[in-house]
């Protein structure tokens, strides 16, 4: 039986807050975002006291305030060495912005050497180490065996006659701990690889300790075996300050002699009028490398961080023992999860904890049918449940490629089919494109780990024992007397809806319902089209289409800031004088769902000031009318999902689980449909029966039901009789009055459905329950996309009306 470890050095106060006050796993940054943990509060208090009781001036002058800064900085420099058990006679500390800046300093110095340098790096390197290769003349990326072989004498950069054809320097770099999966690499390599190679070349070693040092003692006690250069990031250890260090073995200082650039503070004299000459500072190395003013206050904050961290968490050896206990628990917890059919839920990439890896577990999830679960989907749910995990490529290209078995051609294929770091479509060609990484730190607790494992169990473990596949069904017509319950358009993308009044015939166009998503708000700086996901208050911006006065009246229903009207009017007509002249410069294009578009932006300062003020974000109103060309035109992306293809799935509530995996998404539609600013398709419909079923499920679990409005549908379909929920998944066509529609596939959902459209408040539901009951192949669906099917040309203008009968075919 394993209990919470009682480690020496943890005082009673720490022990109490370890027990459950932190229901989170933190990814790498160990500060609570609200800054209210005992640790961050003590740290901030200490720093604030230091700041308010002392005056710190810019170093390098004689004033008392300047002298105070200088002496404090020198004290902290020494403390950093002590923290790493390093002898100040053997090592120097260069303060840098982050680990990457330290790596760049080394790369820049190596590049400036007369013969340049060759670069050898381990495949588990962070992107920031990989990038050094672009400065090198030649480079090699090696796995463990490759490194061992090279240290043992295998030559890498052969010229004629199998001999290394060069006598320039070599830089060898590797991470002490992989930031991808926590794997630790031998620290002994740093000493073994150094020195003259068999071919007589000078080899320098660079250890990236950014991930390692956050939960382990970085011990530079033996200068003979220590790396020449070690980089780390203090924010990864202490959460604050944002500062890094490059620790240089004094014996390797000569690596910097050829560095060319010099900045303020690094030189004793500079001549530039008539003659070009300068004398670099000659005493300590850090004086020559720290360009410009040091981050004085960050360095002083590091003093406080070293103290408070030690007081609350004990030594780094204590932290290491604590986190390694927790990571074993996490690893074992995740690897023991099994579906009802016996298959593992998690595919783990991290080495087993016995191998002494760091406290991070990298994994992916599989459904009971064997399909991979989308990383983006896991991240959305984790966010709602307040777990701070990281998903994707995690800045470790070599580690990811080898863990996932991704070949260069696959990565390039994924790239050319639109995959980018952070894409939603993260399962490509039947393989995940990244990993889920949960890391633990000094503040993590047993209950953090247990609740995270419980979270994976609750949402991703399928207890059901496989049943025989459902029978194929015949094409039929619905008999449950469906009708249009309500019709909504969203004139401004992501803002409130406009409900079409009863008795009004509303025009249907190929690109959607008239006036739907024709406007949007564009961030003035980034050009990004604003979304409610980021700015929930957009739901309180309510547009009203007033055809009598020919205007779009926009009201803000939340508290209005001073000097801001509650309402403004925008003309419906497309009078060109209200728009800014469109200069076809690339800087003026915007992005919606990652797609580049060119909307017409409004020139009116009062209109733009209204939106900027009520939303608290600098933005402009823009219009994207139908009939545009080029980047003023968009196409639908919706398509039938596999779970909708026949045989029709038996939709059981709860627990409809993923359909069998099938080939990658294929778009069967031949001519693409045009859309305006809707995310995926012309029209989105939901059924009240499904909303009711979902709400029933939410209530059964003690939650509060949601209004249909959270799904932001254009049409809400209801039935006069008891209707089966989720039949809309199986519809292929719909006739509303005389107008025919074609179903274009189920609508994939994100946590935007959790925003209450009346109050703009966020909660967990309905996404959490949807994730349990409406997940297919790792993605969550609710509602259905559809589009008008034009009949014979020359007919009346197609329209729909509230109350009209609906006939579904499937
Ligand atoms: C975080 C990290 C880096 C980059 O550190 P920065 O402080 O962001 O520059 C490099 N290597 C590893 C292993 C890391 O974990």
């Amino acid at each position: 039986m394993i209990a919470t470890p009682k480690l020496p050095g943890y005082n009673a106060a720490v022990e109490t807050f370890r027990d459950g006050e932190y229901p989170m796993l933190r990814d790498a940054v160990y500060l609570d975002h609200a800054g209210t943990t005992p640790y961050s509060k003590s740290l901030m208090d200490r720093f604030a006291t230091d700041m308010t009781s002392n005056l710190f001036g810019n170093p390098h002058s004689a004033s008392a305030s300047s002298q105070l800064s200088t002496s404090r900085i020198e004290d902290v420099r020494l403390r950093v060495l002590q923290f790493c058990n390093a002898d100040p006679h053997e090592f120097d500390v260069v303060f840098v912005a982050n680990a990457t800046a330290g790596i760049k300093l080394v790369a820049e110095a190596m590049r400036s050497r007369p013969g340049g340098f060759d670069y050898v790096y381990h495949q588990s390197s962070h992107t920031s180490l990989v990038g050094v290769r672009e400065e090198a003349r030649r480079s090699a990326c090696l796995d463990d065996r490759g490194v061992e072989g090279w240290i043992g004498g295998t030559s890498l950069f052969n010229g004629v006659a199998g001999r290394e054809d060069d006598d320039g320097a070599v830089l060898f770099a590797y991470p002490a701990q992989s930031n991808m999966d926590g794997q630790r690499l031998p620290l002994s390599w740093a000493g073994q690889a150094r020195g003259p190679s068999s071919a007589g070349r000078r080899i320098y070693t660079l250890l990236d300790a950014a991930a390692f040092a956050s939960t382990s003692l970085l011990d530079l006690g033996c200068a003979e075996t220590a790396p020449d250069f070690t980089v780390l990031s203090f924010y990864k250890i202490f959460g604050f300050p944002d500062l890094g260090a490059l620790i240089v073995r004094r014996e390797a200082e000569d690596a910097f002699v050829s560095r060319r650039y010099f900045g303020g503070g690094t030189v004793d004299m500079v001549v530039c009028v008539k003659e070009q000459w300068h004398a670099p500072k000659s005493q300590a190395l850090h004086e020559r490398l720290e360009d410009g003013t040091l981050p004085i206050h960050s360095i002083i904050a590091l003093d406080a961080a070293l103290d408070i961290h030690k007081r609350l968490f004990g030594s780094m050896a204590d932290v290491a023992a604590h986190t390694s206990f927790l990571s074993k628990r996490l690893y074992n917890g995740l690897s023991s999860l099994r579906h009802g059919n016996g298959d593992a839920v998690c595919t783990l990439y991290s080495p087993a904890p016995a191998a002494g890896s760091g406290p991070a577990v990298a994994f992916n999830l599989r459904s009971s049918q064997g399909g991979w679960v989308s990383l983006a989907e896991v991240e959305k749910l984790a966010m709602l449940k307040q777990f701070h995990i990281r998903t994707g490529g995690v800045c470790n290209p070599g580690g990811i490629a080898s863990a996932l078995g991704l070949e260069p051609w696959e990565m390039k294929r994924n790239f050319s089919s639109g995959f980018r770091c952070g894409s939603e479509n993260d399962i490509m060609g039947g393989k995940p494109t990244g990993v889920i990484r949960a890391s633990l730190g000094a503040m993590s607790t047993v209950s953090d780990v247990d609740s995270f494992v419980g979270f994976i169990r609750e949402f991703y473990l399928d207890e059901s024992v496989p049943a025989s596949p459902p029978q194929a069904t015949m094409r039929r017509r619905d008999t449950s007397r469906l009708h249009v319950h309500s019709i909504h358009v969203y004139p401004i993308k992501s803002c409130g809806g406009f409900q079409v009044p009863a008795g009004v015939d509303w025009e249907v166009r190929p690109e959607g319902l008239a006036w739907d998503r024709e406007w949007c708000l564009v961030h003035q700086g980034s050009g990004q089209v604003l979304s409610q996901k980021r700015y929930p208050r957009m739901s309180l911006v309510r547009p009203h289409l007033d055809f009598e006065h020919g205007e779009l009246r926009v009201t803000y229903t939340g508290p209005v800031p001073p000097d801001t009207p509650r309402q403004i009017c925008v003309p419906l007509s497309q009078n060109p004088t209200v728009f800014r002249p469109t200069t076809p410069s690339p800087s003026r294009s915007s992005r919606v769902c990652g797609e580049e578009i060119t909307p017409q932006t409004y020139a009116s300062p009062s209109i733009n000031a209204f939106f900027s003020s009520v939303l608290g974000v600098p933005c402009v109103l823009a219009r994207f009318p139908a009939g545009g060309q080029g980047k003023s035109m968009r196409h639908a992306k919706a398509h039938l999902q596999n779970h909708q293809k026949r045989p029709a799935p038996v939709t059981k509530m709860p627990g409809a689980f993923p359909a069998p995996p099938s080939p990658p998404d294929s778009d069967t539609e031949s001519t693409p449909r045009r859309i305006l600013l809707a995310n995926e398709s012309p029209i989105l419909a939901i059924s009240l029966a499904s909303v009711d079923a979902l709400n029933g499920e939410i209530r059964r679990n003690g939650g509060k039901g949601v209004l249909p409005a959270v799904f932001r549908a254009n049409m809400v379909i209801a039935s006069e009789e008891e209707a089966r929920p989720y039949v809309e998944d199986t519809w292929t066509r719909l006739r509303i009055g005389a107008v025919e529609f074609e179903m274009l596939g189920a609508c994939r959902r994100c946590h935007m459905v959790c925003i209450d459209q009346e109050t703009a408040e966020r909660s967990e539901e309905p996404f959490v329950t949807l994730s349990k009951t409406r997940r297919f192949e790792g993605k969550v669906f609710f509602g259905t996309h559809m589009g008008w099917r034009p009949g014979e040309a020359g007919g009346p203008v197609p329209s729909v009306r509230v109350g009209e009968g609906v006939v579904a075919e499937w």
Side-chain angles (χ1 to χ4, degrees), residues 28 97-103 124-129 175-180 208-212 214 231-236 243-244 390 394-396 437:
N98 46 36
T100 303
I103 294 166
S124 298
S125 292
H126 186 277
T127 304
S128 295
L129 273 191
Q177 175 180 315
S178 158
N179 64 309
M180 194 278 283
D208 173 2
F212 178 86
S214 52
V231 292
L232 50 108
S233 299
F234 293 114
Y235 79 92
K236 287 198 183 171
L243 186 69
R390 181 150 170 198
V394 303
C395 266
N396 197 310
R437 184 184 73 194

Side-chain angles (χ1 to χ4, degrees), residues 636-655:
K637 285 166 247 5
H639 53 82
L640 279 190
Q641 301 293 330
N642 291 320
H643 74 272
Q644 301 181 281
K645 294 177 185 162
R646 288 204 254 173
V650 184
T651 334
K652 50 183 173 133
M653 286 288 293

Side-chain angles (χ1 to χ4, degrees), residues 587-665:
S587 62
R588 285 267 43 101
S589 70
S590 310
R591 273 173 317 285
V592 57
C593 305
E595 190 179 332
E596 211 171 290
I597 59 163
T598 311
Q600 303 171 328
T601 51
Y602 282 75
S604 158
S606 60
I607 290 178
N608 295 333
F610 167 79
F611 290 107
S612 301
S613 167
V614 298
L615 295 176
V617 46
C619 61
V620 294
L621 183 69
R623 193 166 184 176
F624 193 76
Q629 294 297 324
K631 285 177 183 164
S632 299
M633 168 176 86
R634 297 179 66 230
H635 290 118
K637 285 166 247 5
H639 53 82
L640 279 190
Q641 301 293 330
N642 291 320
H643 74 272
Q644 301 181 281
K645 294 177 185 162
R646 288 204 254 173
V650 184
T651 334
K652 50 183 173 133
M653 286 288 293
F657 232 83
S662 51
D665 298 338

